[in-house]
Structure formats: structure tokens, C-alpha cells
Amino acid sequence: MHDDRGLVEARLKRVLDERVRPAVYPESVPLEVAVWNAPGIGASPVRAESRAWGTVPVEEGLAAPVTPVAVGEMWGPPWGTSWFRVSGTVPEEWAGKSVEALLDLGFDENMPGFQCEGLVYRPDGTPVKGLNPRNQWVRIGAPVDGGEAVLLHIEAASNPVLLDYHPFVPTRLGDIETSHRDPLYRLTRMDLAVFDETVWRLVIDLEVLGELMAELPVDSGRRWDILRAVDRALDALDLQDVNGTAQAARSELTEVLSSPAEPSAHRISAVGHAHIDSAWLWPLRETVRKVARTTSNMTALLEDEPEFIFSMSQAQQWAWIKEHRPEVWAKVVKAVSDGRFVPAGGMWVEADTNMPGSEAMARQFVHGKRFFIDEFGVENDEAWLPDTFGFAAGLPQIIKAAGSKWLLTQKISWSQTNKFPHHTFQWEGIDGTRIFTHFPPVDTYNCAMKGSEIAHAAKNFKDKGVARHSLAPTGWGDGGGGTTREMIAKAARLRDLEGSAQVVWETPAEFFAKAEAEYQNPPVWVGELYLELHRATLTSQAKTKQGNRRSEHLLREAELWSATAAVRVPEFAYPYDELDRIWKTVLLHQFHDILPGSSIAWVHREAEKTYAAVAAELTGLIEQAQRALAGEGTRTLVFNATPHTRHGVAAGGAEVATDEGPAELSDRPGGGFVLANGRLRVEIDGRGLVVSAYDLIAGRESIAPGHPANLLQMHPDFPNMWDAWDVDAFYRNTVTDLVEADEVTAGDGPSVRVVRSFGSSKATQTLALAPGAARLDILTEVDWHETEKFLKLAFPLDVHAERYASETQFGHFYRATHTNTSWEAAKFEACNHRFVHLEEPGWGVALVTDSTYGHDVTRTVRPEDSGTTTTLRVSLLRAPRFPDPETDQGPHRFRHALVPGATIGDAVREGYVVNLPERTLPGAGPVAPLAEVDNDAVVVTAVKLADDGSGDVVVRFHEACGGRARATLTPGFPTASVTTTDLLERPLGEPEATSGPVELSLRPFELRTLRFTRA
């Protein structure tokens, strides 16, 4: 037989494009259209009123006066809202037919979720469904009687396209304050049309078979069976009468569509999904509407498709619907009660997991899971994080402590260098906790049920022979949209089809239960799940990151001092509601495009204001509690919120601090200054560079010979793509050492002030020794006006170390200093929390920080003495131009401290010191801690009152040094019992009667929560 494969495949494509798809709607009549453009756009994400989100209430939009508008006219300035009214009458001659409204606002079908969108309402305010480029229809009747009046309203958002066909182009459209006001979109189609379901089903048949055929081997019999059947179907189709012959064409495909899958076929659990970024190329207020549109679509689809299951994560987004769109919420609640609209993930948002601190990561699960439990009685066993940029090594323990046991992620498929070796595996965290984890081989969280996607999932699955199940999140995402009826129709044909994986709709829990049951002994991956991409998100938008870090520590203080005051001062009321609300605000801003700095300017401008408001409110709560605790008096009390004794003040207590003795400043021979305090002697040369940091106790130099520290370095920074997200390894090829100083002078007190000008920017540093501590404090203030540059602060250390530690949630994690393998070489930019620590046996150095996360560590051998120089560099600032062309421009302030001679325990302690400054207040006498621990290796991360309002005291702590620890925890109040709980403060065992200290024994990095009932 002659090979006519190419001829038939080309025929299929043209007939589908030019004849069959257009015949889905064979008849149409235009609708009348009028519009009202809503005035003004608000921006505040912390106010509840609808107008503050840049919208108007639905009832106002429905009642607004409208002006006629014609198809073909332009509408919608960037970020505007237009209310369209479409009206018409179904022709009498269409009686008995299915009729739909086709509402095209000017869509580009390749950009669902990234351009204009709409939500359709009935005149009574009932939401119908969302409109997006892949979902432009609204059912009028199936069938209609003929003569029906049609009246619909569309709340349309003219969101600009920012990630266009030529991506990463700098644009001012990312902020309402810098956008132009010209209309963006042309109204394209507003019609009533007959919907020919037979032709539509033929389209699906041909698409499924054509896509499957393209994935099968050319020499396989199945491929040729499909080819011949398609050829016969096209012969049966009269191209002049597609609607009249569609059923005949379908009949020719019945046999190939009914041939069952092989018994060994891969099995895919399809989960209806619409990954919605809580902010990204749109502001927070627009996400509220994206969620409403998507959930309206999905609840309507659930009514039509009995096998379909839809799952949505991010409790914040559910809360938005409840608060801002009650008419949509009612439909969601019903769908959840039917068991087919499934809460997923159990987190407040799909957060970044690298940068949030220990308590913040825990509270993501506390607030997320509690919302779903309270609203629906549903508890999630899975964490759902398809798009997060890598996963910190402390996360497994947090997932388990929250009462969950599974994790789904997708983003690791984006790694550029190394292909991850598993799709289903046990992920082991720093404390030994293992979480059953799935990484879908479909390699997308926006699966559209294309044959290429299904075939890729089956071929790509790395656990063949021992497992057969994988998951496919199915639906348009990022900007929302969700699953379409076309995807569901394709899945129905792929349920049991020869040559394809088998597809079935299932909930995440159903998938995980099956996957876990079939894979009894999966492989284990130990340590972080590092994404070999998007490394610059550890640095971009410094003020957002500083706002997060500051908020986390202020929340710690507010809970600690409020709980102490509530227990000690009878009239003091614990601020439950305020703390709950503020926690949720902070957790929202840890979303994986806000905290990482990869959102538009509007998002980060709002975030800066929000963080300022949060700081002001939390500072007020702290002061209120401390005043209540201090009482009336004239003694200067120092409140210590760190988990270690400081200046003689116990952790979590207040007392008159002891004087540690001053540091001294003297001139350095040859220029510069010397700082000394009896524990550390630091030499700063005439260029303002640290040339010596000598540990006087150990008799040991910290700084590598010939390599000055406190060295600002600048690199060009123009990645190949994803500007705000990425830094590519070649950035290191060019570096400028900023060694020239405008001035090096004595500062206020025993300190040194260094001023440098470079490019269009200026850096001012203040170097000082902390009294009585082996700690060089470095305050760096940068007025930053560079473009596409990367600023680092370097510390070349005389330390021989093959690995180093950086703090993560509830502990620390080790990374290699060498690049023996491609896995190590790929980690050229990594995350730390409050410290990075390098160590030789018996002696180490720590660098602690109050707000930076990104860093790199490299090592070289000095030819002159064969000693090893290990260089630690912290990342300060970047200047990408997309999506925010003004990223990081302006003044910044960073605090770091170099701690020679530091153990891991010292690094932990000094990290808290730099992040939790002492607060002083006049008062009557000391304030005893609410909970004291007698071992510095056991770090208390939270002291608070129980969330249920019972008045119980909750203390959370962990072993922080990586070893076994015994300790005694002594409550500073009368107790009746103590109970070990999970993160949601639910008992994990029976309460134990106690009226005093509790003996603790902890494994390395073990996390524990105790709940004390007060006597």
C-alpha cells in the first residue's frame, strides 16, 4: 500500500479548521449591545468594600445607565471595568434547537487568563459563567421554544496583556498609576447562535484521534487503523453540508473510538483545576474577580457533566468569594456539599516555601486547613503546590505536623540542568519526616487533555514497572479559567482507548490513596527540592521581602507579649481577631509571585503600603501589651523577644539589662580604623574594607589573606528570559569590585562610616562591634538607581569547608561548597533565613541577616599558602525591568552581622538578635517569661493563647542545632495539664496533669507544640 499518511493528516487539519469547526454554529443573529464604563479604580487590598477593589457592587453594575455600542468598536482602557448589556430574541424558526450566546470581547484564544475577561449575570444578579478566550459561550436553551427574550449582563475587565508573544518587554501597563487610558480591545462578536452538538462531538472525535495518531509509532497498526478510519469519516462528510452529514462521519469513527486500552496502559487521574495566581500580572483586587469568574464556570460545568470533579486550593481565594461574591459563594457551597467541588491543599495560599519563616510556614497550614474545616467540615491530607519555585528542606515536618501526609508539585519539571529522577517518591526533610510526594509526569498544571500531553505523561513517567498512576491537573490556569467542556469530552473518549493512557476524573485524595497503595516502597529523596530556575526570586523586590521578614517577627512579638499580658494582667484582652486578620494578610503576601518579587509594579506598591500598615498595627499591639506588663515605675525595663537570654534578660521576659562593656575605636596604621571589644578585633582599611576580623578568644583570623571582606560587588544581570525570576550562571563572568570610597570616617559612637558612589547609586555603610559579643554589625544603606545590575556583599573567609549550613524552617540545611556534580553546580544561588554558617572542626563563622535571602558560596585554593578561601556573598539588590520596570529603584536598608568563632547555636542566637531588637519601657519591675527553656538548643518559635479562645497557652519549639536535646520547659503560670498537639492545636494524645516543669527530649530538628491548660 502506498504511504499516504501525510496526505490524510493534512486533509484532516484543513477540513477541521475550515469546515467542521465553523459548522458547530451554523446559524446566528446579532445581539444588541450597550455598555457602561465603571468610573475610577481603587487599589487597597486591606479594605473590604467592593469599590476599594476597583469594582462596583453587582447591583450597581446591573442598574447603571448604558450607551449603545457596536461590534467592531474599541472598549476598555488598561485595568478598566465595563458593564455590557446584551439583549435579543431567539428566532421562532429555531424552536427545538440548542441555542447559545457567543460573546467575544476581543479575545486572543492563545491567552486564556492573560487578557480581558468577563463574568455573565442574569438580570436578577445570578452569576451564569465566566468568559475567557477559550470559553465564549453561554447556553440559552437546549432546546429552545423560539421567541424567547434574552437579556444578559457582562462585568468585563480590560486587563492588559503583559506577557505577550514577545515576552519580557518592559511595560508601564503593570500599574494603574503609569498606564495609558486608551482602549485596548475591539468588541468582536455578540451573537445568538444555533449550537449543533453533533458537529461539536465530531470535532472532539477528530481532535482526539488526530492527536493520538500523531503520538503513535509510524509502524504501529493502531496508527494506521486510526488513519483509515479518519479518511473514511472525511469521505462521509459532505463539505457543503457538514451539519447534515456529521453523524455519518461520526459513525465511521465508532470502531476505533471503542477499541479498549491495553491492560498495561498508564492510568491518569484527571483533576479539574484552574491554578489562579493570587497576584502576578494583575493586582490582588483582580484576582478576586478571576476567582469569581472561574468558580462560576466550574459550578455550571459540574451541573452539566456528572463525572467531572473540580478541585481548588488556596483558602484565601475561597474566603474572597465568600466576602466579595456571595452570589457565587452560594453555588460553590452547594457544589462542595455534593462532593464534586473539592477544597485542596490546606494552605492559605500557594506560598513560596523557601523564604517564609518557621511560624509563617506553619500558619499557612493552620489558617488554610482551619478555613476548610470550619466552612465545609473538610480536612485536606495533601499539600497542593504545583507552581511554587522549589521546596525548603524543612517542609515535610510542617506538612505532617499540620495533619497532612501527601504533597503534589509540578514546577520541578522546569529545572534547566538536571532532570528529577522520580515522579512518585518519599520526600525526607531535615528531621527525618517523610512525605509521600507526586510530581505529575504530564509536566504542566494546565493540562488541556491534548493527545501530546497524555502521551507525554505516559512516556515520561519514571516509575514504570512499579507504579502506573499519575495525576493531571486539567484546566486553564495562572490567570484562571479552569476546565472546559471540550477537555471533559476528550477525557471521556480517553477513558479506555487503545494506544492511550486511561483517563478518569478523581479527587486528589482518591489519586493519592491509589498511588500510595500500589507503590509500597517508593524511592526516597533527602533534602530540599531545589528548582534549577527562578533563583533571582530570592532577591527581587527587596522591600517586599523586608516587609515579610519584619512582619513575621512583629507577629512573634505581638503574640508573645499579648499572651503574657493576658495571663498576668486580669483586665488585658488578648487580640484574637486582630492577630488572625494580620496573619492572613501576611500569609497572602507570601504567595509565590508576591514574596518572590515576580509580580507587576502595582502588586509591590500595594504590598509596601500593606506592610507599613501591618507594622504600625502590630507595633501598637506590642506597646499596649508591654505597657500593661511594665506597670507604673521608673526602672528602664528591656523586653527581650528572642528565644535566648540577652544582656541578662531572660528569653520572653523583661528586666533591667546588664552592661556588656563598650567597644573601642582607634586609628589603624596605614589608614583606616580598628574596632575591638575584648572578643573581636576588626581592621578596616582606608578603602572601608574589612581586612581582618580576629577572634581574640580562639586566636584565629576570619578573613582570607589578601581578600578583603565587606566588599560590594556589582554584576551585569540580563538573564535569557524571566527577568525578575532568573539569574543565569554567566552573570558571574563579569564583576566590578566597588573598592573606591568617597569617605571612610569615624561614625557616631565606636563605629566606622563608609560612603561609596558607583554608577548612578550610592552606598553608605556603618560598621560597629556589638558590646560584649563577637559580632561585627554592618548597616548598609543603598540609594539604588541601576538597571539590569546585581549587587552582592562579599565575605572571603579563611575557612576550609566542604559544606555550609543555612537556616530554613525549624532548623538548617547543608549545601556543598564545591561543584563536583551538576546538581551542586546548579545551586549557584540559594536561600537562607536568618543565618549562613561555615565551619571547620572546632571553629566556625556565621553571617546573619535581617532581611536578605539570596546568597552564594564558592571556594578556591590560594596558590601562595595552599589555604582555602571560602567566599560567602549575600545578594542585596537587582534591577530587572520586567514585569516592573522600576524594580528596587530608590533607598534600601540592610542589616548584616559577621560572627567569627560562631557555632551553629551562636548563629541561631545572633540571627534572632539582629531580627528582634530590644524594646525599652519604664516600669515597676521585671516581667518573668511565660515559658522558660533551660537549653539554648531548644528554640521557642511561638508563645500564644490557643486560637479557640479557651485561654490555654500554646508553646511551640524545636531542636535548632541538629542534635539530640534534653531540656526542661517551665511555665511561668499555674498549670493544670499539658497536651502535645498538632499545629492546629488539636491533641495528639491524652492530656497529662502537671503543675510545674515539663521534661523534654527532642530528636534533631524535632518540632513540637504543647498546649497548657491554666489552673
Side-chain angles (χ1 to χ4, degrees), residues 676-681 694-698 772-775 900 906 909:
N677 66 357
R679 295 192 60 185
L680 194 61
R681 182 178 184 275
Y694 194 82
D695 181 351
L696 295 168
I697 305 300
R775 189 180 78 240
D906 295 329
R909 182 189 67 250

Side-chain angles (χ1 to χ4, degrees), residues 3-24:
D3 184 353
D4 60 349
R5 178 172 51 85
L7 192 66
V8 176
E9 291 171 358
R11 180 189 185 194
L12 171 62
K13 182 180 186 308
R14 186 176 185 191
V15 169
L16 259 176
D17 288 345
E18 298 185 22
R19 293 294 185 269
V20 185
R21 289 193 183 100
V24 171

Side-chain angles (χ1 to χ4, degrees), residues 859-929:
R859 65 199 298 266
T860 59
V861 175
R862 301 186 293 270
E864 58 271 19
D865 64 356
S866 298
T868 300
T869 297
T870 304
T871 302
L872 165 61
R873 302 193 308 163
V874 295
S875 304
L876 298 183
L877 291 165
R878 299 183 67 235
R881 300 181 63 211
F882 182 87
D884 176 4
E886 300 295 327
T887 302
D888 282 332
Q889 300 299 299
H892 300 272
R893 185 181 178 97
F894 308 97
R895 290 187 181 275
H896 295 87
L898 184 69
V899 191
T903 64
I904 280 285
D906 295 329
V908 173
R909 182 189 67 250
E910 298 298 344
Y912 276 102
V913 165
V914 79
N915 281 275
L916 287 164
E918 296 166 317
R919 296 180 185 269
T920 59
L921 204 67
V927 177

Side-chain angles (χ1 to χ4, degrees), residues 726-796:
D726 282 359
V727 57
D728 291 326
F730 54 73
Y731 89 92
R732 290 180 172 177
N733 297 347
T734 307
V735 60
T736 301
D737 292 343
L738 304 179
V739 297
E740 300 299 324
D742 300 346
E743 57 180 275
V744 180
T745 58
D748 295 333
S751 64
V752 177
R753 183 172 183 269
V754 182
V755 180
R756 304 183 196 281
S757 298
F758 55 94
S760 301
S761 305
K762 178 177 285 190
T764 302
Q765 291 185 298
T766 302
L767 291 79
L769 285 187
R775 189 180 78 240
L776 174 64
D777 291 329
I778 303 169
L779 171 63
T780 303
E781 298 172 284
V782 184
D783 190 11
W784 180 246
H785 297 284
E786 306 305 309
T787 299
E788 294 168 349
K789 296 290 192 294
F790 196 2
L791 186 65
K792 293 262 188 176
L793 181 61
F795 296 86

Side-chain angles (χ1 to χ4, degrees), residues 538-552:
L538 301 173
T539 305
S540 297
Q541 297 287 0
K543 289 182 179 177
T544 298
K545 291 169 172 58
Q546 289 177 323
N548 174 73
R549 179 77 70 84
R550 186 182 183 202
S551 297
E552 289 180 352

Side-chain angles (χ1 to χ4, degrees), residues 188-250:
T188 301
R189 185 177 188 181
M190 294 276 151
D191 289 346
L192 285 178
V194 172
F195 173 65
D196 190 327
E197 186 171 350
T198 301
V199 176
W200 180 81
R201 292 187 182 280
L202 176 61
V203 170
I204 303 299
D205 293 343
L206 291 172
E207 286 183 351
V208 166
L209 290 172
E211 291 167 3
L212 173 59
M213 183 168 57
E215 298 301 322
L216 294 170
V218 174
D219 58 358
S220 72
R222 174 64 170 165
R223 178 163 183 160
W224 288 91
D225 287 345
I226 294 173
L227 185 82
R228 293 301 165 220
V230 168
D231 206 19
R232 291 193 300 271
L234 297 179
D235 287 343
L237 194 68
D238 182 349
L239 299 187
Q240 307 307 312
D241 184 17
V242 172
N243 300 89
T245 56
Q247 186 55 53
R250 290 199 72 203

